[in-house]
Structure formats: C-alpha cells, structure tokens
Amino acid sequence: MDIRLKNCFIAVDDHDKAIAFYRDVLGMEVRGDVGYEGMRWVTVGSPLQPDVDIVLEPPAADPDASPADKEAMARLLAKGLLRGVNFTTTDCDALFARVRESGAEVIQEPTDMPYGVRDCAFRDPAGNMLRFMEAPK
C-alpha cells in the first residue's frame, strides 16, 4: 500500500500576515490562493517537498459552521490552543536565530532533547505552535 502525506491544514486569522511569515521568514513558496464563499485558503510549502502542502485556512472553515462554533474556534486560535506543525531542519540554531529575528513569539529555545533531536519552537502570527527539529549528527 502506498500512502503519503499530501497536505495538512493550519488555521490562521490573517492570511497576509501568515503569508509574510511562511514565505518571507521560513522560505516557503506560495502555491495557491483561493477565495470561496467569503473565505480564503492559501497553500504554501517547502521547495524541498514539492508534493507536500500546508493549507492556511480560516478558523472553522466549514461554511456550515454556526456563528457560535466560529467564535469558539477564533477564541481557541487566539489562545494558541490549536495544533501546529512539526518541521525538520539541518541547522536548528541558524533557523532559530532567523525566526527569532523576525519577531515571532519564542516558545522554546534550541534544546537537546533526551529522545535524540535538537529542537526549538515558535508561534506563527496566528498563535499556532511550530516546532523545528534537527536530527542528531
């Protein structure tokens, strides 16, 4: 059986801020920008993984979501309680310096973890946690 990841979704409350972060800070390419029923989806991805996309979507992107559900999702996003994405990198410290310089909120400075990776973590402009892991050398 051939199963591979194609895309994952991250809720954002401001697509333009998210694009600036994912493209200009992390070096991802913008692969799509689609509006539908008053909502917007932006697809970004690493040039090193042309077949894997991250879709930046509105909180509660379902057009049938109730106003109460949309408000609840917006509150959870504002608190940073929605799940983020884990990335790999070949140089955790250099990446940390670049992302910190952008003004992103630091969650964890580069740390050697007992399970064998060096990693750090930030919040994107919407509050999602992004973790960057470097494999042992």
Side-chain angles (χ1 to χ4, degrees):
M1 185 180 312
D2 182 10
I3 298 174
R4 294 180 286 156
L5 178 67
K6 172 58 183 149
N7 54 35
C8 62
F9 294 79
I10 298 177
V12 299
D13 55 358
D14 184 322
H15 283 86
D16 293 327
K17 284 182 183 176
I19 290 170
F21 179 78
Y22 285 90
R23 182 192 60 209
D24 302 338
V25 177
L26 297 184
M28 296 194 176
E29 53 193 20
V30 176
R31 298 179 178 162
D33 192 338
V34 177
Y36 179 72
E37 293 191 15
M39 293 181 276
R40 183 178 180 193
W41 289 263
V42 175
T43 305
V44 298
S46 169
L48 301 174
Q49 291 181 296
D51 59 339
V52 178
D53 298 322
I54 298 170
V55 182
L56 307 174
E57 67 174 353
D62 183 341
D64 297 321
S66 71
D69 287 343
K70 289 180 180 181
E71 177 59 31
M73 288 295 292
R75 282 195 313 271
L76 290 171
L77 179 62
K79 291 179 179 182
L81 295 176
L82 301 181
R83 299 304 303 174
V85 176
N86 293 351
F87 296 93
T88 60
T89 181
T90 57
D91 190 339
C92 183
D93 294 282
L95 182 133
F96 177 82
R98 178 184 171 116
V99 177
R100 179 180 57 190
E101 186 176 292
S102 78
E105 178 186 347
V106 174
I107 297 174
Q108 175 196 308
E109 294 194 10
T111 304
D112 292 321
M113 304 306 270
Y115 44 87
V117 300
R118 182 167 181 78
D119 74 357
C120 63
F122 291 90
R123 293 209 184 276
D124 74 1
N128 297 297
M129 183 178 71
L130 306 179
R131 185 166 294 281
F132 301 91
M133 296 176 270
E134 176 183 347
K137 295 178 178 166

